[in-house]
């Protein structure tokens, strides 16, 4: 069974940091690009960052996170991480990780095959 499980969300103050984790199982991790998306209430799901297969290359989809968020992977653990620094209230959203079996990073959430359940990130002002 394919599973993506996010963790690490929570409540943090403006300017704080969080590290989200995405644990994958049930598929060949190296064959998938993994993306992080977020969705705030009343807004569409937005691509944040993506990392290519085997940890090759990263792609930013949200200009607002450049210089603050980074993505990394640990293929030995089948895990992808989203390090979020200098958090702002506008970063408040449910954050999801997703896997794209076509192996490329894409900003359109509809191109991803598998999704986690999401983890809430709330940044207080």
């Amino acid at each position: 069974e394919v599973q993506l499980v996010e963790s690490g969300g929570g409540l943090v103050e403006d300017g704080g940091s969080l590290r989200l984790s995405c644990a994958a199982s049930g598929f060949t991790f190296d064959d998938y690009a993994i993306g992080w998306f977020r969705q705030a209430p009343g807004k569409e799901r937005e691509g944040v960052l993506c990392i290519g297969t085997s940890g090759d290359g990263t792609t930013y989809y949200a200009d607002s996170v450049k210089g603050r968020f980074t993505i990394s992977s640990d293929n030995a653990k089948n895990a992808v991480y989203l390090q979020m620094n200098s958090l702002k209230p506008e970063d408040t959203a449910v954050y999801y990780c997703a896997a794209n079996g076509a192996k490329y990073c894409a900003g359109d959430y509809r191109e991803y095959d598998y999704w986690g359940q999401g983890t809430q990130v709330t940044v207080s002002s």
Side-chain angles (χ1 to χ4, degrees):
E1 179 187 5
V2 172
Q3 275 196 318
L4 292 169
V5 179
E6 302 95 336
S7 61
L11 174 65
V12 65
E13 291 185 350
D14 190 354
S17 298
L18 282 174
R19 187 190 192 213
L20 305 185
S21 298
C22 173
S25 61
F27 62 94
T28 305
F29 187 72
D30 290 355
D31 288 344
Y32 285 75
I34 305 294
W36 281 98
F37 290 78
R38 64 186 182 185
Q39 189 164 19
K43 294 188 177 181
E44 286 198 0
R45 192 164 295 191
E46 173 189 39
V48 178
L49 268 167
C50 178
I51 190 164
T53 56
S54 302
D56 296 332
T58 61
T59 304
Y60 284 89
Y61 294 109
D63 288 341
S64 63
V65 308
K66 288 181 180 178
R68 301 188 297 124
F69 291 11
T70 56
I71 190 171
S72 62
S73 66
D74 184 340
N75 284 19
K77 295 183 178 180
N78 282 8
V80 173
Y81 307 98
L82 183 67
Q83 179 66 45
M84 305 187 295
N85 299 326
S86 302
L87 282 161
K88 305 175 181 180
E90 51 264 43
D91 294 318
T92 295
V94 177
Y95 283 72
Y96 301 89
C97 66
N100 181 359
K103 300 188 180 183
Y104 59 84
C105 280
D108 187 340
Y109 67 89
R110 290 166 290 190
E111 299 202 39
Y112 288 75
D113 303 295
Y114 304 115
W115 289 84
Q117 82 290 349
T119 185
Q120 177 70 47
V121 171
T122 303
V123 185
S124 63
S125 56

